[in-house]
Protein backbone atom coordinates (compact mmCIF):
# COMPACT_ATOMS: atom_id res chain seq x y z
CA UNK A 1 0.00 0.00 0.00
CA UNK A 2 1.35 3.41 -0.95
CA UNK A 3 1.59 6.35 1.38
CA UNK A 4 -1.13 8.99 1.26
CA UNK A 5 -0.72 11.93 -1.05
CA UNK A 6 -1.12 15.51 0.11
CA UNK A 7 -1.73 18.56 -2.07
CA UNK A 8 0.14 21.59 -0.81
CA UNK A 9 -1.59 24.68 -2.26
CA UNK A 10 0.38 27.88 -1.75
CA UNK A 11 -0.57 31.40 -2.80
CA UNK A 12 2.18 34.02 -2.98
CA UNK A 13 1.99 37.35 -1.21
CA UNK A 14 1.06 40.02 -3.76
CA UNK A 15 4.11 41.77 -5.17
CA UNK A 16 6.57 39.08 -4.03
CA UNK A 17 7.65 37.66 -7.40
CA UNK A 18 11.25 38.71 -6.66
CA UNK A 19 11.17 36.75 -3.39
CA UNK A 20 10.12 33.70 -5.41
CA UNK A 21 12.87 34.26 -7.98
CA UNK A 22 15.53 34.84 -5.30
CA UNK A 23 14.66 31.56 -3.54
CA UNK A 24 13.78 29.38 -6.54
CA UNK A 25 17.09 27.47 -6.71
CA UNK A 26 16.91 26.64 -2.99
CA UNK A 27 13.27 25.57 -3.35
CA UNK A 28 14.07 23.27 -6.29
CA UNK A 29 17.05 21.83 -4.40
CA UNK A 30 14.81 21.14 -1.40
CA UNK A 31 12.32 19.31 -3.63
CA UNK A 32 15.10 17.19 -5.11
CA UNK A 33 16.82 16.30 -1.82
CA UNK A 34 13.62 15.55 0.08
CA UNK A 35 12.44 12.80 -2.25
CA UNK A 36 8.86 13.48 -1.09
CA UNK A 37 7.49 15.33 -4.12
CA UNK A 38 5.43 13.36 -6.64
CA UNK A 39 4.52 16.38 -8.79
CA UNK A 40 4.96 20.14 -8.51
CA UNK A 41 4.64 23.37 -10.41
CA UNK A 42 3.78 27.04 -10.10
CA UNK A 43 0.41 28.70 -10.48
CA UNK A 44 0.41 31.49 -13.07
CA UNK A 45 -1.43 34.80 -12.98
CA UNK A 46 -3.16 36.48 -15.93
CA UNK A 47 0.19 37.86 -17.13
CA UNK A 48 1.82 34.43 -17.05
CA UNK A 49 3.90 35.23 -13.95
CA UNK A 50 4.37 32.70 -11.15
CA UNK A 51 2.04 33.49 -8.24
CA UNK A 52 1.85 30.32 -6.16
CA UNK A 53 2.67 26.63 -6.01
CA UNK A 54 0.98 23.26 -6.21
CA UNK A 55 3.09 20.49 -4.69
CA UNK A 56 1.87 16.89 -4.46
CA UNK A 57 3.66 15.22 -1.55
CA UNK A 58 4.00 11.46 -1.15
CA UNK A 59 4.57 11.27 2.61
CA UNK A 60 3.52 9.11 5.55
CA UNK A 61 0.96 11.47 7.10
CA UNK A 62 -0.28 15.04 7.51
CA UNK A 63 2.42 15.81 10.08
CA UNK A 64 5.08 14.91 7.51
CA UNK A 65 3.36 17.12 4.92
CA UNK A 66 3.25 20.00 7.41
CA UNK A 67 6.93 19.51 8.25
CA UNK A 68 7.85 19.49 4.56
CA UNK A 69 5.86 22.67 3.98
CA UNK A 70 7.52 24.42 6.95
CA UNK A 71 10.98 23.49 5.67
CA UNK A 72 10.40 24.78 2.13
CA UNK A 73 12.77 27.69 1.42
CA UNK A 74 9.85 29.60 -0.10
CA UNK A 75 7.95 29.38 3.18
CA UNK A 76 11.03 30.30 5.19
CA UNK A 77 11.53 33.38 2.99
CA UNK A 78 7.97 34.56 3.75
CA UNK A 79 6.77 34.15 0.16
CA UNK A 80 3.35 32.69 0.89
CA UNK A 81 0.18 34.59 1.74
CA UNK A 82 -1.63 31.30 2.41
CA UNK A 83 -0.82 27.59 2.57
CA UNK A 84 -3.43 24.82 2.49
CA UNK A 85 -2.68 21.12 2.88
CA UNK A 86 -5.31 18.65 1.67
CA UNK A 87 -5.14 14.86 1.57
CA UNK A 88 -5.48 13.92 -2.09
CA UNK A 89 -6.37 10.70 -3.88
CA UNK A 90 -4.89 10.14 -7.33
CA UNK A 91 -7.52 8.68 -9.66
CA UNK A 92 -6.08 9.48 -13.09
CA UNK A 93 -2.42 9.76 -14.03
Amino acid sequence: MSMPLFALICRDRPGHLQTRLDNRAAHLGYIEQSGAVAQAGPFLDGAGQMCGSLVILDVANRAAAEAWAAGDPYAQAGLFDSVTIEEWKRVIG
Side-chain angles (χ1 to χ4, degrees):
M1 183 171 157
S2 65
M3 292 189 281
L5 296 172
F6 290 88
L8 179 63
I9 303 161
C10 307
R11 302 289 181 179
D12 293 1
R13 291 182 190 280
H16 278 68
L17 179 59
Q18 193 60 51
T19 301
R20 175 176 279 276
L21 297 175
D22 291 347
N23 290 278
R24 186 162 171 75
H27 167 74
L28 294 174
Y30 180 66
I31 285 175
E32 185 174 329
Q33 68 87 25
S34 74
V37 178
Q39 295 180 312
F43 292 120
L44 303 177
D45 65 15
Q49 295 295 317
M50 295 178 288
C51 63
S53 299
L54 172 63
V55 181
I56 305 298
L57 297 170
D58 189 351
V59 295
N61 52 43
R62 179 175 293 278
E66 290 170 355
W68 192 96
D72 182 354
Y74 280 167
Q76 293 183 351
L79 174 61
F80 300 131
D81 190 40
S82 68
V83 176
T84 304
I85 299 173
E86 298 287 345
E87 191 163 355
W88 181 71
K89 179 180 178 182
R90 181 189 338 245
V91 175
I92 298 171

